Amino acid sequence: MHYRSAKVRPPKPIIIVHGGAGDWPSELHKQGLRGVRIAAHRGFRVLSKQGSALDAVEAGIVAMEDNPVFNAGRGSTLNLVGEIETDAAIMDGRTLQGAGVALLRDIKNPIKVARIVMDKTDHVLIAGAAARQLALAGGLAKSDLRVSKRVKAWKEGLHKLKNNKVQYLSGTSPEILHRFLAKSSDTVGALALDNDGDVAAACSTGGVSLKLPGRIGDSAVLGAGLYADNKSGAATATGIGEQAMRLVISKAACDLMRHRKAVSAATKVIRYSTRALGLGTGLIALDRLGRYAVAHNTRNLCWAARTVDGSTAKMFGTRVRS
Ligand code: ASP
């Protein structure tokens, strides 16, 4: 978006990032807040050097993928059989170009693979071994993404699952669960507005823990896990991906931002999501005028924002109930 009229000034550049909605036990608050602050700082550094919103969100996500406190890149959660399959996506609000990758294994920065799909292919979503080949062809680094706290959480999760205590897997048939069991939270997101008034969105995740192998979540899918459009703004979701996909939650928030502020759009979408399907969801939204919002029905949502005027980092936003 370009502001040619002398009377219309572009809004100030801004980046807002999140490190996932969920419980965030108190012993992790400090690490989480530090991680999102660093990510917002890295993204903002791009904006302050006249870089694009797209490059800024990618830089913010890379910082969180490299930080094992978050469920993205290194530190991703394990699926039902104890393996890691990551999803990520990126979208440019100026061109409406965007792409995702899914079921990626052993690649250090899944968001960079999404960027390759967007910039260097004709496609919008590539999954599995082919996505990994693209990453390696693009010279991206391989890495063992597994960390001990996620392995411990996986073992504890299996125990809960056997006792039917995992709500978001309560609809999966016992025959299917047992077939896998016999063998054997928190996504990151970023939104930015640059000096030209362009917006972008990106997100990356290991997915919900104990997911079935081959499950693809919202973070790979435009409209669900993220959306960006200069005509409205940008949004990215966290929480149970199936719910975000059924409600196309990020696109819904952007559509509302055509005529509403970010805060009104984000709270409306989370309220609707809670009423309609009831599972844990969070959303950050940034409207085209640079106003942002954080809304969630989960206990916490770890986020940070940065502008020329300074930065904010918190463990909660507007808590929305139905
Ligand atoms: N939305 C992610 C997924 O379902 C999980 C998360 O946000 O923690 O894959």
Side-chain angles (χ1 to χ4, degrees):
M1 196 180 289
H2 294 280
Y3 295 84
R4 291 203 176 81
S5 153
K7 283 187 195 146
V8 185
R9 295 175 126 236
K12 287 181 190 166
I14 176 169
I15 182 158
I16 171 162
V17 305
H18 78 74
D23 278 349
W24 278 101
S26 51
E27 64 273 16
L28 285 181
H29 282 197
K30 223 167 143 189
Q31 290 174 54
L33 290 172
R34 185 161 185 275
V36 286
R37 215 178 260 124
I38 291 172
H41 173 76
R42 296 262 172 86
F44 193 74
R45 204 161 58 191
V46 174
L47 297 175
S48 56
K49 289 182 184 156
Q50 308 300 312
S52 66
L54 199 61
D55 288 342
V57 292
E58 183 178 337
I61 296 288
V62 166
M64 293 187 283
E65 286 177 340
D66 290 345
N67 183 340
V69 77
F70 302 114
N71 170 19
R74 187 154 173 273
S76 288
T77 52
L78 277 55
N79 67 14
L80 196 55
V81 296
E83 289 164 353
I84 293 179
E85 293 179 322
T86 61
D87 298 340
I90 189 162
M91 184 163 183
D92 180 356
R94 184 173 68 85
T95 59
L96 299 184
Q97 294 290 323
V101 282
L103 307 176
L104 200 58
R105 286 172 184 247
D106 304 324
I107 296 295
K108 188 167 173 274
N109 294 114
I111 196 66
K112 292 189 183 178
V113 193
R115 186 78 191 260
I116 290 177
V117 176
M118 178 181 137
D119 288 346
K120 299 192 173 161
T121 80
D122 297 306
H123 306 306
V124 164
L125 181 57
I126 294 193
R132 191 165 186 277
Q133 274 175 29
L134 267 185
L136 298 176
L140 298 185
K142 282 197 267 179
S143 174
D144 181 3
L145 305 177
R146 192 180 292 245
V147 296
S148 54
K149 74 165 182 182
R150 297 292 183 198
V151 176
K152 186 167 171 263
W154 173 68
K155 287 183 183 153
E156 287 165 4
L158 283 182
H159 184 71
K160 281 192 195 155
L161 192 62
K162 283 174 188 154
N163 293 310
N164 294 325
K165 284 192 181 146
V166 182
Q167 192 202 356
Y168 62 83
L169 290 174
S170 59
T172 305
S173 108
E175 295 78 46
I176 289 180
L177 285 178
H178 287 128
R179 189 167 184 95
F180 288 104
L181 283 171
K183 288 190 194 167
S184 67
S185 305
D186 302 286
T187 295
V188 301
L191 310 172
L193 172 74
D194 63 26
N195 288 283
D196 290 329
D198 296 325
V199 294
C203 55
S204 181
T205 190
V208 291
S209 81
L210 303 173
K211 63 187 183 180
L212 291 185
R215 176 266 195 188
I216 297 173
D218 60 313
S219 305
V221 180
L222 304 188
L226 78 168
Y227 202 75
D229 181 348
N230 273 7
K231 290 197 170 67
S232 51
T236 185
T238 167
I240 306 305
E242 282 69 15
Q243 173 148 316
M245 287 193 276
R246 286 180 187 127
L247 302 179
V248 200
I249 201 168
S250 296
K251 175 73 162 71
C254 284
D255 287 348
L256 288 170
M257 284 192 287
R258 281 182 180 238
H259 307 292
R260 289 170 185 257
K261 293 179 185 170
V263 66
S264 155
T267 48
K268 195 173 166 67
V269 163
I270 294 297
R271 184 165 294 126
Y272 176 66
S273 167
T274 311
R275 270 200 207 127
L277 299 172
L279 296 175
T281 314
L283 187 93
I284 60 172
L286 175 67
D287 65 36
R288 64 188 186 282
L289 297 180
R291 297 169 299 205
Y292 66 85
V294 178
H296 53 111
N297 61 11
T298 51
R299 192 158 76 159
N300 290 314
L301 198 157
C302 177
W303 64 276
R306 174 97 203 249
T307 66
V308 274
D309 301 324
S311 64
T312 320
K314 291 201 171 120
M315 261 298 158
F316 54 88
T318 303
R319 182 92 189 271
V320 181
R321 294 185 179 84
S322 61

